[in-house]
Amino acid sequence: MTIEENVKKIMSNVDAAKAASSYSNQSVSVIAVTKYVGVKEAKEVVDQGISHLAENRVELFLEKYEALKERELTWHLIGNLQRRKVKNVINFVDYFHALDSVKLAQEISKRAERPIKCFAEVNISGEASKHGFSKAELLSALTELSELAHLEIVGLMTMAPFEATEEECHNIFGQLKKLQVEISEMNLPKIPCTELSMGMSRDYEIAIQEGATFVRIGTEIFKDL
């Protein structure tokens, strides 16, 4: 399989999942996660019409950003970000998907030269190994987050456990959708919370059915190369 063939199959699956969902009228952005491939493969993905690229490590993000900065792309940082590294990368980022604490939010706002679009990471499944706010922690932090000058909470992010069944994935993603709607309806300053970043190669179709607007796909794009 080639990257072109893989991308075509994924886009077809995305369209089918949207059609099967209650959210068929909303857009879904496919983010190519390029953390396991080089610049050459990342360029091939862009040539197939995918304009959203993601990295999970600061060093790899900056490498790809530098190599592809002449292209019209939207850049996503999806990995957990240490506060000491915020200043190195945050002003190159269009979307940050792993906001998991108020302290990190404060550091981002301090170092950013413009409002940074962030997804609050929510540990819906309650896994001890996962980062993120609990639902209660996030709700109690919203007022404080809304007061940060250079931060915008555009939505929520979560990941289902690797071993989750389809039913469990539906449940986890459905819970995040409910929380997103609840927060959006609060109409807090700088917290529109209209987007959902959820779903990866193994479960993106389920995530779309439950309301995802951004899906992060790596393995399915680059498999069989």
Side-chain angles (χ1 to χ4, degrees):
M1 298 283 283
T2 64
I3 287 175
E4 179 181 7
E5 290 168 329
N6 289 340
V7 168
K8 283 182 178 178
K9 181 180 178 184
I10 288 163
M11 290 307 189
S12 176
N13 291 344
V14 166
D15 288 340
K18 279 179 62 178
S21 80
S22 303
Y23 310 100
S24 55
N25 62 335
Q26 70 183 18
S27 65
V28 176
S29 297
V30 173
I31 304 168
V33 179
T34 58
K35 62 183 180 179
Y36 295 126
V37 299
V39 170
K40 175 180 175 289
E41 291 83 2
K43 286 181 176 177
E44 286 187 52
V45 172
V46 174
D47 289 340
Q48 297 309 315
I50 291 185
S51 60
H52 293 260
L53 294 188
E55 285 290 337
N56 70 329
R57 288 172 51 199
V58 169
E59 294 77 15
L60 291 175
F61 179 99
L62 293 172
E63 176 192 351
K64 299 270 185 16
Y65 182 92
E66 183 64 26
L68 292 162
K69 64 183 179 183
E70 302 304 321
R71 309 293 282 267
E72 288 288 325
L73 300 173
T74 301
W75 290 93
H76 300 255
L77 186 62
I78 61 173
N80 295 105
L81 179 60
Q82 295 173 306
R83 295 204 300 276
R84 63 184 176 84
K85 292 187 176 183
V86 167
K87 64 181 182 295
N88 299 332
V89 72
I90 203 63
N91 287 301
F92 302 107
V93 172
D94 293 303
Y95 289 90
F96 175 53
H97 289 245
L99 183 68
D100 60 3
S101 72
V102 172
K103 286 186 176 180
L104 179 58
Q106 291 168 337
E107 184 67 16
I108 289 171
S109 185
K110 175 183 174 182
R111 300 293 184 176
E113 297 165 1
R114 56 178 166 79
I116 304 297
K117 291 176 166 55
C118 296
F119 290 88
E121 182 174 358
V122 186
N123 187 359
I124 288 285
S125 65
E127 286 181 278
S129 61
K130 281 221 168 42
H131 292 261
F133 295 94
S134 70
K135 177 180 175 180
E137 287 169 345
L138 179 59
L139 290 172
S140 67
L142 287 174
T143 299
E144 195 170 1
L145 292 173
S146 73
E147 294 168 350
L148 296 174
H150 290 148
L151 196 86
E152 182 183 8
I153 306 294
V154 296
L156 307 179
M157 187 279 276
T158 201
M159 291 179 284
F162 186 79
E163 69 282 357
T165 64
E166 285 191 16
E167 183 179 358
E168 288 168 338
C169 287
H170 276 289
N171 180 48
I172 289 166
F173 296 147
Q175 285 187 58
L176 195 71
K177 176 62 181 177
K178 289 178 182 177
L179 182 59
Q180 174 254 310
V181 171
E182 179 182 342
I183 293 173
S184 177
E185 290 177 347
M186 293 178 182
N187 294 314
L188 293 167
K190 296 193 285 292
I191 305 186
C193 201
T194 54
E195 309 296 333
L196 279 179
S197 170
M198 58 188 192
M200 297 185 288
S201 288
R202 65 182 182 271
D203 53 23
Y204 69 92
E205 292 165 275
I206 296 173
I208 291 168
Q209 291 172 27
E210 295 294 342
T213 57
F214 289 85
V215 291
R216 308 177 303 277
I217 303 178
T219 304
E220 288 296 298
I221 291 176
F222 301 107
K223 70 178 182 180
D224 301 327
L225 297 184

